[in-house]
Amino acid sequence: MSTGATTQAARQTILAVDDDPGNLGILRRLLHPQYNVLAAPSGDRALAIAAGQPKPDLILLDVLMPGMDGYAVLAHLREMPATRDIPVIFVTGLDSIEDEEKGLALGAVDYITKPYRPPIMLARVQIHLELKRARDWLRDQNLFLEAEVARREEMLHSVTNAARDAIIMVDGEDRIAFWNPAAAAMFGHAATEALGRKLHALLAPERFHAAAARGLGAFRDSGTGDAVGKTLELAALRKDGTEFPIEISLAAVRRENAWWGVGIVRDISTRKALDEQLAQAQAHLLQSDKLAAIGQLAAGVAHEINNPIGFVSSNMGTLQHYVQEISEVLDAYAGLGAAGEANATALAAVEQLKQQKNLDYVRGDIKQLMAESQEGLQRVRKIVADLKSFSHVDEANWKWADLRAGLESTLNMVWNELKYHCTLHKEFGDIPEVWCLPSQLNQVFMNLLVNAGQAITGKGDITIRTGQRGDEVFIAIADTGSGIPPEVQARLFEPFFTTKPVGKGTGLGLSLAYSIVQKHGGRIEVDSTFDKGTTFTVWLPVKGPAAASATAGS
């Protein structure tokens, strides 16, 4: 009994609203095998059910009803916070363009005219329920990320308050918005004195002021500036007017719809003593960069979902037209039977109508349209599944994983960034499962793939190879981009170092990838020729970091 209850609860719920009991019965028989079906004979009853529990996942709403019509019901649904996000499909006998435009303008997700064909009704219902499921999942992920960001900000405040380094945050107008106790001790200004002041006022003028203005003042222009992601040596002023040398590492973060600057400030004379604290602060920034990268995927995923949904919607329109034409021919044949024995002239007219409608072509095209629509729905389902597989936000345990499957899911996530100018080649060799943290390795793959795409100007190729040598597997990602000069290659994995245009990268991505691969007991190799292309090869021990340590010690 427990299993049956669980299955029933997992089914999505549809509310059918129609003042005709016969229509409600038809919808119930059509939908009940797959869904929980609730019925309402009036607009008032529909609003009461929609606001209660269980809340419907989709509403099929008639327009012409006594009392409150369907348009008014939809308006009320959109006004109530508890029901405004429930998708509504109008199912009505009103078939004019004006009626359909009005329904869609009020917020309906679809408009189906009676009489409808059951397969098409089921297909449309399935499409919108799949979309709702995907939207609900993405909403839950956003809530999770928001809570995670809040938790990390709280943690960051705790860490920065205890840090020996001065940590300063400036807003888009270079005014100090965060000032930790170490900053107060270093500069001699309490937080109440520093907050709201221009950071430049705390720096020595003349020889250092120009560099500070160029680096720190650049945050006004959407996080741009040639100092972002770099380290500057400046002279600072204490409250008593004395001057002392500092080193400040700069990063740009998106906050409150503006670019804010974060600076970690050290007294150069005590650099070695502060290195450990600096590493801890950088680790927190690396984790923030990972969350930002997940958020950046949203637009690409939405685009990839909209494409198949677009042609499924178009196919549904064509199918609706075909149904109308078939109905006209069937009505003509029915007219012959109603008139008694058909004469040759009337029969010829019906045959001529059949030829005009080109029913043979329509029958074949309907099969093609349905096949394409099914393919589109499968594509949407696969994208959502790949997004879940890629993120694994609820998974932090080591496990055996197929890295090729991780590459495939990651490719689906970043494909929108690559497909317009990159030709992808897969040369996957046989590799065993690897003991690893799959979601972290997916982050590495995503970073390398996006970097490969950004390295290509115009059209180019990206090749992914996998293979095994001894107790290690490798994943090589090669591009035909601009290549990396030798002097830059030596600094690729340094935190905050980037070769991207200002504002396009924080310099944390490759550093994070390097850290993750090291945690797995592996390494990253770079082979690059300027103006020819670059290959990043990730080597990983099959049995995880413990096996790598044992091999190194033997």
Side-chain angles (χ1 to χ4, degrees):
M1 183 172 181
S2 175
T3 303
T6 301
T7 304
Q8 185 73 4
R11 285 156 52 108
Q12 291 175 287
T13 300
I14 298 174
L15 170 60
V17 186
D18 199 307
D19 63 319
D20 187 336
N23 289 338
L24 289 177
I26 292 172
L27 288 173
R28 185 188 296 274
R29 287 192 296 274
L30 175 64
L31 300 171
H32 185 70
Q34 298 182 48
Y35 310 103
N36 295 327
V37 181
L38 305 177
S42 67
D44 290 332
R45 182 58 183 154
L47 292 176
I49 294 175
Q53 294 294 336
K55 198 167 299 299
D57 297 290
L58 178 70
I59 298 176
L60 302 178
L61 180 59
D62 190 17
V63 174
L64 297 178
M65 294 186 294
M68 185 184 302
D69 66 14
Y71 295 140
V73 172
L74 179 55
H76 283 294
L77 288 170
R78 292 296 177 255
E79 289 173 357
M80 296 189 296
T83 61
R84 64 166 56 116
D85 294 327
I86 300 176
V88 174
I89 300 177
F90 276 123
V91 182
T92 176
L94 298 177
D95 59 356
S96 71
I97 296 296
E98 292 75 16
D99 290 320
E100 182 173 355
E101 289 177 348
K102 180 178 180 180
L104 295 176
L106 285 172
V109 298
D110 208 341
Y111 193 98
I112 302 175
T113 58
K114 302 174 183 177
Y116 52 79
R117 292 188 63 193
I120 294 179
M121 169 67 81
L122 286 173
R124 290 191 174 183
V125 165
Q126 183 181 7
I127 287 171
H128 291 293
L129 286 175
E130 289 283 353
L131 282 173
K132 183 179 186 300
R133 196 190 299 273
R135 285 194 300 268
D136 290 347
W137 188 87
L138 288 173
R139 179 202 61 209
D140 292 341
Q141 296 308 303
N142 285 335
L143 291 174
F144 170 84
L145 290 176
E146 288 172 3
E148 184 69 7
V149 168
R151 186 183 70 83
R152 288 179 182 276
E153 285 190 351
E154 183 179 351
M155 182 187 302
L156 181 60
H157 276 271
S158 176
V159 171
T160 54
N161 285 340
R164 295 172 60 189
D165 283 338
I167 301 177
I168 304 169
M169 180 178 290
V170 296
D171 63 16
E173 296 181 351
D174 302 331
R175 297 187 183 278
I176 298 172
F178 179 81
W179 185 263
N180 75 333
M186 183 180 294
F187 287 88
H189 294 279
T192 53
E193 298 172 319
L195 295 178
R197 295 186 63 183
K198 292 277 190 178
L199 183 58
H200 295 166
L202 304 179
L203 302 174
E206 299 173 357
R207 60 194 178 105
F208 295 106
H209 191 272
R214 182 176 65 252
L216 301 174
F219 291 115
R220 284 191 299 269
D221 302 322
S222 301
T224 62
D226 60 6
V228 176
K230 297 182 179 179
T231 299
L232 299 177
E233 290 188 9
L234 306 172
L237 294 174
R238 294 189 177 91
K239 186 176 181 179
D240 62 5
T242 58
E243 183 177 312
F244 66 104
I246 62 170
E247 183 179 86
I248 179 168
S249 298
L250 300 176
V253 295
R254 190 74 172 172
R255 183 169 181 172
E256 298 179 1
N257 297 321
W259 285 101
W260 289 33
V262 177
I264 300 176
V265 183
R266 293 163 295 277
D267 187 324
I268 293 177
S269 62
T270 58
R271 177 186 298 163
K272 290 184 178 180
L274 300 176
D275 278 346
E276 184 176 354
Q277 295 295 328
L278 170 62
Q280 292 176 0
Q282 288 174 346
H284 284 285
L285 290 175
L286 289 173
Q287 292 302 317
S288 299
D289 188 70
K290 180 178 179 180
L291 289 176
I294 293 174
Q296 185 179 356
L297 294 176
V301 172
H303 179 81
E304 290 300 305
I305 289 178
N306 284 337
N307 278 341
I309 291 302
F311 73 72
V312 169
S313 178
S314 175
N315 286 355
M316 291 301 102
T318 304
L319 286 168
Q320 185 177 9
H321 174 70
Y322 285 167
V323 168
Q324 180 63 35
E325 292 195 330
I326 293 171
S327 297
E328 290 178 20
V329 174
L330 291 175
D331 289 343
Y333 274 113
L336 289 176
E341 185 177 351
N343 58 54
T345 302
L347 184 59
V350 174
E351 289 295 326
Q352 184 178 6
L353 177 62
K354 178 181 176 182
Q355 293 300 320
Q356 289 175 350
K357 299 301 183 181
N358 198 3
L359 291 191
D360 290 338
Y361 171 81
V362 168
R363 291 173 59 190
D365 199 36
I366 284 175
K367 294 180 181 179
Q368 181 66 26
L369 291 173
M370 294 302 294
E372 290 177 355
S373 298
Q374 289 295 329
E375 181 182 348
L377 292 174
Q378 290 296 330
R379 174 63 177 158
V380 171
R381 188 177 293 109
K382 187 174 189 308
I383 291 171
V384 173
D386 282 338
L387 182 58
K388 292 179 181 178
S389 174
F390 171 80
S391 61
H392 285 292
V393 292
D394 58 343
E395 200 171 286
N397 297 324
W398 290 80
K399 60 185 290 188
W400 291 101
D402 182 354
L403 298 187
R404 291 173 300 183
L407 280 166
E408 292 286 4
S409 65
T410 304
L411 276 170
N412 271 333
M413 294 303 97
V414 302
W415 185 234
N416 192 60
E417 298 282 333
L418 308 176
K419 65 181 179 182
Y420 296 108
H421 69 293
C422 300
T423 300
L424 185 65
H425 307 277
K426 301 177 188 176
E427 298 177 8
F428 289 176
D430 290 334
I431 57 175
E433 290 190 337
V434 173
W435 184 251
C436 64
L437 294 166
S439 62
Q440 292 196 11
L441 290 182
N442 287 346
Q443 178 75 12
V444 173
F445 301 152
M446 184 194 74
N447 183 273
L448 296 180
L449 286 166
V450 170
N451 282 355
Q454 292 175 346
I456 295 172
T457 56
K459 300 287 186 180
D461 297 280
I462 295 178
T463 302
I464 307 174
R465 300 182 180 90
T466 64
Q468 180 178 10
R469 292 182 186 172
D471 295 328
E472 291 182 311
V473 298
F474 68 87
I475 302 92
I477 298 175
D479 64 69
T480 57
S482 55
I484 306 172
E487 65 272 16
V488 174
Q489 292 184 34
R491 303 187 60 194
L492 280 177
F493 301 108
E494 292 181 12
F496 305 113
F497 179 78
T498 179
T499 60
K500 296 176 183 177
V502 173
K504 297 296 185 182
T506 63
L508 297 173
L510 283 177
S511 179
L512 174 61
Y514 182 81
S515 174
I516 291 171
V517 173
Q518 272 199 325
K519 181 192 298 185
H520 284 74
R523 64 190 185 280
I524 302 179
E525 296 177 351
V526 183
D527 182 13
S528 183
T529 303
F530 191 67
D531 280 340
K532 297 276 182 146
T534 301
T535 300
F536 283 86
T537 304
V538 177
W539 291 89
L540 297 167
V542 174
K543 297 181 180 179
S549 299
T551 302
S554 61

